[in-house]
Amino acid sequence: EAGVAQSPRYKIIEKRQSVAFWCNPISGHATLYWYQQILGQGPKLLIQFQNNGVVDDSQLPKDRFSAERLKGVDSTLKIQPAKLEDSAVYLCASSGRTGGSGNTIYFGEGSWLTVV
Amino acid sequence: KQEVTQIPAALSVPEGENLVLNCSFTDSAIYNLQWFRQDPGKGLTSLLLIQSSQREQTSGRLNASLDKSSGRSTLYIAASQPGDSATYLCAVDSGNTPLVFGKGTRLSVIA
């Protein structure tokens, strides 16, 4: 079974530029997550999708971050304009065939963003 | 608000030693707790998931325990190997809120 795929793996941009990350979850997984992990910290949830609906985006900085999951499969996370403090690893994860608590979460290898 | 703390932040041990990583959480009303491993430049790999009704889970040389009432979990690694070197994170699922992660323990096993 293929894992969670993410691209690009690495991206360096200047502040105020825009960037987009793509995620393809494990086949059949209804729940998709985007996490932000700053160096030395644990991951912090940005947004959670159940199929193509948003379950939780309370920690998403909506003035600059946006995410969508059209057709309930792939997802993209966009940052525009980027700030220096957005430098982090952006982890996509998926879980369960019906979502919900108790399902193991599978993470992709992350997209590493450096804003200079 | 759930808070997760992991101690120590970093640990260095010689190969072959048994070791314990600690995780504590402030709100005992949890559904489950997971331990993850993160290698440098990689994503997270789930090691063990303990449901709130369980006391422990074992996988190979790893054993995770959960004491929900005291808000503690431990990850026990037996006969450590250099390949165990990684950052270990615990995360708490309280059901209707996002997973809350600790900052991790960075483990180095010296050959």
Side-chain angles (χ1 to χ4, degrees):
Chain A
E1 181 179 69
V4 177
Q6 291 188 244
S7 68
R9 287 294 319 278
Y10 305 95
K11 192 76 176 178
I12 301 174
I13 62 172
E14 295 182 350
K15 59 184 179 184
R16 292 187 289 275
Q17 286 187 325
S18 63
V19 64
F21 301 116
W22 172 83
C23 173
N24 183 251
I26 292 174
S27 178
H29 279 191
T31 308
L32 184 147
Y33 313 80
W34 282 102
Y35 284 85
Q36 179 193 58
Q37 185 179 22
I38 293 172
L39 188 65
Q41 304 287 319
K44 180 186 81 171
L45 181 73
L46 293 176
I47 189 166
Q48 176 182 344
F49 292 95
Q50 182 80 12
N51 296 308
N52 61 348
V54 175
V55 174
D56 187 335
D57 63 356
S58 57
Q59 299 186 93
L60 186 73
K62 298 181 184 64
D63 57 333
R64 298 182 301 104
F65 287 65
S66 64
E68 60 182 11
R69 191 184 184 196
L70 300 176
K71 301 180 182 178
V73 182
D74 294 7
S75 177
T76 56
L77 175 70
K78 297 180 181 178
I79 307 173
Q80 181 179 16
K83 293 185 175 181
L84 296 177
E85 58 261 36
D86 298 332
S87 295
V89 183
Y90 292 86
L91 296 162
C92 180
S94 67
S95 72
R97 303 200 182 269
T98 57
S101 296
N103 291 300
T104 299
I105 293 178
Y106 298 87
F107 282 81
E109 294 201 329
S111 292
W112 296 68
L113 174 66
T114 301
V115 182
V116 299
Chain B
K1 177 186 171 185
Q2 181 71 270
E3 293 183 2
V4 178
T5 303
Q6 291 188 245
I7 294 174
L11 181 63
S12 183
V13 301
E15 181 178 7
E17 272 204 7
N18 303 323
L19 59 100
V20 174
L21 307 180
N22 297 292
C23 172
S24 62
F25 47 95
T26 55
D27 186 350
S28 61
I30 68 170
Y31 275 20
N32 63 58
L33 182 146
Q34 289 191 59
W35 282 93
F36 292 87
R37 168 181 173 143
Q38 186 172 31
D39 291 283
K42 302 290 187 180
L44 282 68
T45 301
S46 181
L47 298 173
L48 291 163
L49 184 153
I50 311 176
Q51 301 289 356
S52 63
S53 58
Q54 297 174 321
R55 299 282 294 183
E56 65 179 321
Q57 281 284 342
T58 298
S59 176
R61 294 182 294 108
L62 305 180
N63 176 275
S65 68
L66 175 64
D67 183 343
K68 206 173 71 162
S69 61
S70 67
R72 294 181 182 177
S73 176
T74 61
L75 179 67
Y76 175 83
I77 302 177
S80 58
Q81 303 171 357
D84 295 330
S85 298
T87 296
Y88 292 81
L89 296 120
C90 73
V92 171
D93 184 351
S94 298
N96 58 356
T97 56
L99 272 186
V100 178
F101 283 83
K103 293 183 179 181
T105 294
R106 191 171 63 255
L107 173 66
S108 296
V109 181
I110 311 300

